[in-house]
Amino acid sequence: MDMERRQDQSGPERKGQKRKLEEEIVIGDDQQQQQLEISSSLSSVHASDARQALLCEVSAQVNILNTTFSWFEADRAAAKRATHVLAELAKNEEVVNWIVEGGAVPSLVKHLQAPPPTSEADGNSKPFEHEVEKGSAFALGLLAVKPEHQQLIVDNGALLHLVNLLKRHKDGNGSRAVNSVIRRAADAITNLAHENSSIKTRVRMEGGIPPLVELLEFTDTKVQRASAGALRTLAFKNDENKNQIVECNALPTLILMLRSEDAAIHYEASEISFDELQVGVIGNLVHSSPNIKKEVLAAGALQPVIGLLSSCCSESQREAALLLGQFAATDSDCKVHIVQRGAVRPLIEMLQSPDVQLREMSAFALGRLAQDMHNQAGIAHNGGLVPLLKLLDSKNGSLQHNAAFALYGLADNEDNVSDFIRVGGIQKLQDGEFIVQVLSHLLYLMRIAEKGVQRRVALALAHLCSPDDQRTIFIDNGGLDLLLGLLGSTNPKQQLDGAVALYKLANKAMTLSPVDAAPPSPTPQVYLGEQYVNSATLSDVTFLVEGRRFYAHRICLLASSDAFRAMFDGGYREKDARDIEIPNIRWEVFELMMRFIYTGSVDVTLDIAQDLLRAADQYLLEGLKRLCEYTIAQDISLENVASMYELSEAFHAISLRHTCILFILEQFDKLSARPGHSHLIQRIVPEIHEYFSKALTKPNPHKLRL
């Protein structure tokens, strides 16, 4: 089950980014006093005039920015105050639109760059260096929180300037001001690119990714975190950005950070932990990118990510669980390695967390791991069943689906069956309306997931689904073809899995017994009775069988089958003959056949059943064929099932053929060791398909629940 990465969506992370942008700004007493005066004057204005008052204030600050783009100290001080005032106002999302309407964006973008040197200014004097640019980047980042303003900011040329700000440390200046302006530039890029694919691409085209990757190794951890946040956003659903991030050699740095024992790197008292950002970047890189996923695993990311499951930060735990779920989709070996390295126990503990998202992500990871047979017993043994079953009662649909997917995987292992029954798992999965929601989700997976997952879902549903849902699952949504694909596989384990599932499916299909399943005789029956069997009384036709006469009556024979009707009413020579020779049927067989015609029933013994079946097929006596098939079916064994199947084909014995199919499926494990087994399976696959197609599409008195 492939889940969308969440870092680039509206939610806690987005709000956290805004709060992060609103961290304290070091400003002077006079600026604080100015901001207090602005807030006081705006709050005292009547609501109807508030917009006009704010526009006037914005206009004043924009005018200051437009007239102070120089290195003169007074201009720099005024520009710095103006950027801070606009940033302070922009913290209130309700007035962001008015700030943009007042023309603040072009003026702020202009001040993202240093002013040109002038002849009047001292060329060596750069008052408030980096401070004005930092304030502008901060204000623009706040304005970009609203998606409708992102493109306007970019169209005014902000991206190139922001990318240049990321390189301010290149001149060897490692001051606090430089660190701050770099951090504000990275934060602004994050907000501009949030859920905006075209801007993500523009950032790459403007050369923003290489400096962001380089900043992952910066000495200031706040800068590291800001650059990681920007890379996480840029990597989300943008393959070209992912590839460039990997090409810039970001993976070793990210993984080295995860392995670091430096507490300052791993966690700070902020809205978003650094671990969460690091794992978020890796998660967005590997999402829907199998090749990058392999590179990440090869670089050694697995163990440090598993270690984060025990982090004191729930956000880091959640991201680690989600990433492990994505890793587990790679191949079976990766699933096994994740379990071997200790991921199961902390994931199970997370299932009981009060944090809904943490429970959801851990259930997602366990669901992926449970699709490998080597992991299923271990997850159940470590106590995973009960907490997963409890999650089925959740009102959160995604949480329910993830838990159910994990449980279906665990239920597919015979070692877990007793535990499943003991804790009420089977009943829990099948009771109530919940199964409808689960089926909808699993059917979606069975259609679009990778082939291995599709087959695992089909196998699990064959064992656990309700008979009412079988047609929907296995005919309408292709589950039958998936099971037949397993049966026709060259892998013995897959063949056995498919056979067991198909047999389980057949048992639940409520098919009729062979003796009831044969079609009725095509013509109405007239039974003269036992006293007329081989009786000369009123006889008008005689059969010569092995040199002996058998007396019969045309009216009875005409009513018994189309074969006799053609014989006596058609253009055959027997039409007017008094004596008719029967050259290919033994007397005992012919006598039993005629007794059935005259009475409607006979006792068919095993020693005569096959010869009688041949005669019944020759004379189109479907009722007699049904009795013969039933008797023969009682003698099917491992030794003769192949010949019995050939017999059913030779004489069009549909019920016997179906019984052979069910026997082969039931005894598949034992039959697989016998010579000719593979050839027999290949022969019966088309017939199995036809059998189940008919069995699962018969009218059902119960209403389907999907």
Side-chain angles (χ1 to χ4, degrees):
M1 170 174 37
D2 197 14
M3 296 189 65
E4 292 289 347
R5 297 294 304 179
R6 301 182 172 206
Q7 294 85 339
D8 202 42
Q9 301 174 354
S10 298
E13 293 85 353
R14 180 67 162 170
K15 293 177 181 176
Q17 180 63 38
K18 183 175 186 299
R19 286 194 292 268
K20 181 179 170 186
L21 283 170
E22 292 175 1
E23 290 171 352
E24 65 172 321
I25 313 171
V26 180
I27 55 178
D29 292 340
D30 58 333
Q31 295 168 30
Q32 293 184 26
Q33 181 62 35
Q34 182 183 19
Q35 291 168 9
L36 288 173
E37 290 173 357
I38 293 170
S39 300
S40 176
S41 63
L42 289 174
S43 62
S44 64
V45 177
H46 191 273
S48 61
D49 299 324
R51 177 176 177 278
Q52 189 59 41
L54 190 138
L55 285 174
C56 289
E57 179 61 35
V58 170
S59 179
Q61 302 305 322
V62 168
N63 186 58
I64 292 172
L65 290 175
N66 289 339
T67 58
T68 58
F69 191 57
S70 78
W71 279 113
F72 286 111
E73 184 171 356
D75 287 346
R76 294 291 285 175
K80 178 183 175 183
R81 284 195 300 271
T83 59
H84 286 318
V85 169
L86 291 173
E88 194 67 25
L89 292 173
K91 290 180 181 180
N92 183 351
E93 287 191 31
E94 295 179 0
V95 302
V96 164
N97 290 347
W98 297 347
I99 297 173
V100 174
E101 185 181 339
V105 169
S107 302
L108 287 169
V109 170
K110 183 178 182 180
H111 281 272
L112 288 174
Q113 56 188 321
T118 60
S119 56
E120 293 85 358
D122 183 356
N124 296 322
S125 176
K126 295 185 177 180
F128 303 106
E129 187 178 12
H130 312 299
E131 294 290 336
V132 178
E133 295 92 317
K134 179 186 74 173
S136 295
F138 180 47
L140 288 168
L142 288 169
L143 297 179
V145 168
K146 285 204 167 184
E148 60 265 35
H149 302 317
Q150 293 169 341
Q151 196 60 49
L152 174 65
I153 296 171
V154 170
D155 289 344
N156 274 273
L159 278 183
L160 180 60
H161 298 318
L162 290 170
V163 170
N164 288 333
L165 290 179
L166 296 176
K167 307 171 186 176
R168 279 283 175 102
H169 62 291
K170 295 284 189 178
D171 60 2
N173 189 341
S175 67
R176 180 178 178 181
V178 170
N179 295 350
S180 295
V181 73
I182 294 173
R183 179 161 58 98
R184 293 305 185 194
D187 289 341
I189 289 173
T190 299
N191 274 11
L192 283 170
H194 178 74
E195 293 187 351
N196 192 314
S197 58
S198 64
I199 293 180
K200 290 176 186 177
T201 299
R202 283 284 298 275
V203 173
R204 184 183 77 253
M205 301 301 292
E206 296 286 1
I209 289 178
L212 285 169
V213 172
E214 185 179 337
L215 290 171
L216 291 174
E217 301 185 64
F218 203 70
T219 54
D220 187 294
T221 56
K222 290 183 178 180
V223 172
Q224 286 182 325
R225 186 168 61 240
S227 62
L231 289 170
R232 178 176 68 172
T233 296
L234 294 173
F236 184 72
K237 291 185 177 180
N238 191 305
D239 291 340
E240 291 80 4
N241 283 3
K242 292 178 187 180
N243 292 333
Q244 189 172 75
I245 292 171
V246 173
E247 289 167 4
C248 289
N249 209 30
L251 292 181
T253 303
L254 289 167
I255 294 168
L256 183 63
M257 290 176 176
L258 286 177
R259 289 175 171 171
S260 173
E261 297 180 358
D262 185 347
I265 290 181
H266 280 302
Y267 184 76
E268 294 186 18
S270 62
E271 293 294 338
I272 304 176
S273 78
F274 197 19
D275 281 336
E276 179 190 358
L277 286 172
Q278 293 165 339
V279 179
V281 177
I282 296 173
N284 279 358
L285 287 173
V286 304
H287 179 63
S288 300
S289 300
N291 292 333
I292 295 179
K293 188 183 299 182
K294 291 178 181 178
E295 287 190 48
V296 169
L297 289 170
L302 189 56
Q303 195 60 54
V305 172
I306 291 174
L308 289 179
L309 295 176
S310 302
S311 169
C312 59
C313 173
S314 61
E315 289 86 356
S316 295
Q317 288 180 297
R318 184 190 68 211
E319 290 292 336
L322 179 55
L323 185 52
L324 287 175
Q326 292 180 302
F327 284 161
T330 305
D331 51 46
S332 294
D333 287 343
C334 187
K335 292 182 177 72
V336 174
H337 291 158
I338 291 171
V339 172
Q340 289 176 339
R341 298 188 186 193
V344 169
R345 192 172 295 277
L347 284 171
I348 291 174
E349 291 174 357
M350 288 161 59
L351 292 175
Q352 303 166 70
S353 167
D355 186 326
V356 174
Q357 288 189 331
L358 200 55
R359 297 201 301 272
E360 182 183 345
M361 292 302 103
S362 58
F364 167 67
L366 287 169
R368 285 289 183 83
L369 296 174
Q371 303 314 305
D372 186 271
M373 60 175 293
H374 299 95
N375 299 334
Q376 293 160 350
I379 294 173
H381 178 73
N382 278 282
L385 281 178
V386 173
L388 284 169
L389 286 169
K390 288 181 179 178
L391 294 183
L392 297 184
D393 295 325
S394 170
K395 295 180 180 179
N396 182 305
S398 296
L399 186 54
Q400 283 185 331
H401 293 159
N402 289 343
F405 187 65
L407 287 166
Y408 282 133
L410 299 180
D412 199 30
N413 190 304
E414 60 184 16
D415 294 334
N416 294 336
V417 171
S418 59
D419 289 335
F420 240 91
I421 295 173
R422 178 175 53 81
V423 299
I426 302 296
Q427 190 68 27
K428 186 79 171 179
L429 283 171
Q430 293 184 336
D431 280 351
E433 293 300 316
F434 165 70
I435 196 69
V436 179
Q437 304 170 28
V438 175
L439 275 177
S440 298
H441 186 68
L442 293 178
L443 292 179
Y444 172 75
L445 285 176
M446 203 166 67
R447 291 192 304 271
I448 61 91
E450 58 191 30
K451 182 64 71 175
V453 174
Q454 288 180 323
R455 287 176 169 176
R456 301 298 291 181
V457 172
L459 287 171
L461 288 177
H463 287 277
L464 294 176
C465 75
S466 163
D468 293 338
D469 296 320
Q470 287 182 323
R471 174 172 179 167
T472 299
I473 296 167
F474 295 98
I475 301 300
D476 299 342
N477 285 276
L480 177 59
D481 291 331
L482 291 170
L483 295 181
L484 290 175
L486 288 170
L487 190 65
S489 166
T490 56
N491 183 304
K493 175 64 171 62
Q494 290 185 352
Q495 287 184 332
L496 180 59
D497 286 344
V500 172
L502 286 166
Y503 184 70
K504 184 78 172 181
L505 195 61
N507 281 341
K508 290 194 293 185
M510 296 180 290
T511 54
L512 300 174
S513 67
V515 73
D516 295 324
S521 177
T523 55
Q525 295 293 298
V526 176
Y527 301 119
L528 292 185
E530 178 74 26
Q531 66 273 27
Y532 289 103
V533 176
N534 197 17
S535 170
T537 304
L538 300 178
S539 172
D540 56 1
V541 64
T542 303
F543 293 99
L544 298 176
V545 183
E546 293 185 334
R548 300 165 62 182
R549 292 184 180 278
F550 193 102
Y551 297 99
H553 306 79
R554 290 175 184 263
I555 185 63
C556 185
L557 299 175
L558 285 169
S560 67
S561 81
D562 288 341
F564 284 115
R565 180 171 296 177
M567 180 184 294
F568 296 124
D569 282 352
Y572 295 95
R573 59 185 175 84
E574 292 90 348
K575 178 179 180 181
D576 299 317
R578 175 66 186 177
D579 297 326
I580 301 173
E581 186 174 0
I582 304 297
N584 57 350
I585 301 179
R586 291 187 293 122
W587 172 268
E588 295 85 352
V589 174
F590 188 80
E591 183 184 29
L592 267 181
M593 182 181 78
M594 298 302 286
R595 191 174 300 279
F596 176 82
I597 291 173
Y598 277 77
T599 66
S601 66
V602 288
D603 291 330
V604 181
T605 58
L606 191 58
D607 61 329
I608 204 172
Q610 292 192 27
D611 287 341
L612 190 56
L613 173 64
R614 182 182 295 107
D617 181 62
Q618 180 179 339
Y619 288 98
L620 304 180
L621 298 169
E622 294 298 332
L624 183 57
K625 281 180 64 175
R626 179 179 61 190
L627 293 176
C628 295
E629 290 177 69
Y630 183 73
T631 299
I632 295 169
Q634 310 311 304
D635 189 46
I636 295 177
S637 65
L638 295 173
E639 289 76 16
N640 68 14
V641 65
S643 62
M644 291 296 189
Y645 185 81
E646 291 176 357
L647 183 71
S648 73
E649 287 190 313
F651 300 116
H652 312 289
I654 303 300
S655 297
L656 178 60
R657 191 180 312 168
H658 290 171
T659 304
C660 289
I661 287 172
L662 294 179
F663 182 88
I664 291 169
L665 293 176
E666 182 184 17
Q667 302 295 330
F668 194 91
D669 195 18
K670 296 176 181 177
L671 282 168
S672 61
R674 292 178 170 269
H677 164 75
S678 298
H679 177 66
L680 176 62
I681 295 303
Q682 295 303 322
R683 284 180 57 193
I684 70 170
V685 166
E687 186 63 34
I688 293 176
H689 189 282
E690 182 179 351
Y691 167 76
F692 278 101
S693 296
K694 291 179 179 178
L696 299 181
T697 53
K698 289 189 305 183
N700 194 318
H702 303 288
K703 182 181 179 181
L704 288 177
R705 290 182 292 171
L706 284 182

